[in-house]
Amino acid sequence: MQITEIYKSLQGESTYAGLPCVFVRLTGCNLRCTWCDSEYTFHGGRKMSLPEVLDEVSRLSPGGGLVEITGGEPMLQEREVVPLMQTLVETGHTVLLETSGERLLQRVPAAVIKIVDVKCPDSGEGDTFRDENLEALTTRDEVKFVLSSRRDYEFAREFANRHGLAGKVNAILFSPAFRKNASGARDSSQCLLDPQELAEWMIADNVPARLGLQLHKFIWDPAVKGV
Ligand code: SF4
């Protein structure tokens, strides 16, 4: 499979946020979100076999632990990534899969926790989530909306409501988008949507979602990759 990087850091954007985690970042994405901070994954990378990826994961995290499969869009390499996830589960890892839900998720092993990043209108990639994937969601999974405007917030609130997500998944996450190419200050001035404003909307509407902040962007310089 084509891999951009494998590294260890803290998980930053789910109910697993704050836990040490090995990230396996696959190369390639079929979307072009306006605020994407991972454009370096679109091309390049290096070919690695399944055993090579497994060796690197166990070198970084001997004895199991949390592993996130991310990208880019990892499900573009479904043929290789499904066996990788299955093997990681069998070798005692807790496996998270970060995906946009634009590809079908039916073949993702049941033990894998899917974190589905449903694209909102102002990402420029709205309407890319495939509704068939709602059937693949379980109470272990999480659905995330990265928000850059009031329009995005209303889309996310209505989507969660219309599809009864609160009863379907472990968590609904509303997360303010970070400015593309943000660097320097590690604070919410770098967010496209003020977290305080978002928090106030969520409280007023009593939405069954939790506010998520991209933890790593408050720990390291937002421009730093591989953290
Ligand atoms: S899906 Fe992810 S990697 Fe692809 S363009 Fe959007 S934010 Fe970037």
Side-chain angles (χ1 to χ4, degrees), residues 191-209:
C191 293
L192 290 170
L193 175 61
D194 183 351
Q196 183 179 332
E197 202 170 14
L198 174 57
E200 285 164 4
W201 296 341
M202 292 173 70
I203 294 164
D205 292 342
N206 207 25
V207 291

Side-chain angles (χ1 to χ4, degrees), residues 25 28-39 41-42 70-73 98-100 117 119 123 125:
R25 190 180 291 286
C29 190
N30 52 343
L31 305 188
R32 291 293 180 268
C33 303
T34 49
W35 34 253
C36 178
D37 61 358
S38 306
E39 290 176 328
T41 67
F42 292 170
T70 186
E73 172 50 63
E98 171 99 16
T99 174
S100 71
D117 183 353
K119 301 303 177 187
S123 71
E125 292 289 5

Side-chain angles (χ1 to χ4, degrees), residues 16-30:
Y16 294 81
L19 292 172
C21 180
V22 173
F23 291 82
V24 178
R25 190 180 291 286
L26 282 87
T27 307
C29 190
N30 52 343

Side-chain angles (χ1 to χ4, degrees), residues 43-65:
H43 309 286
R46 69 182 173 117
K47 220 171 201 27
M48 291 179 78
S49 66
L50 177 61
E52 284 171 336
V53 175
L54 293 171
D55 281 355
E56 184 60 5
V57 170
S58 35
R59 188 185 70 78
L60 291 168
S61 184

Side-chain angles (χ1 to χ4, degrees), residues 24 26 32 41 47 55 79 82 97 101 105 110 122 126 139 162 192 209 218:
V24 178
L26 282 87
R32 291 293 180 268
T41 67
K47 220 171 201 27
D55 281 355
R79 203 180 49 186
V82 167
L97 168 69
L105 300 176
D122 287 330
T139 51
R162 186 169 71 253
L192 290 170
F218 292 85

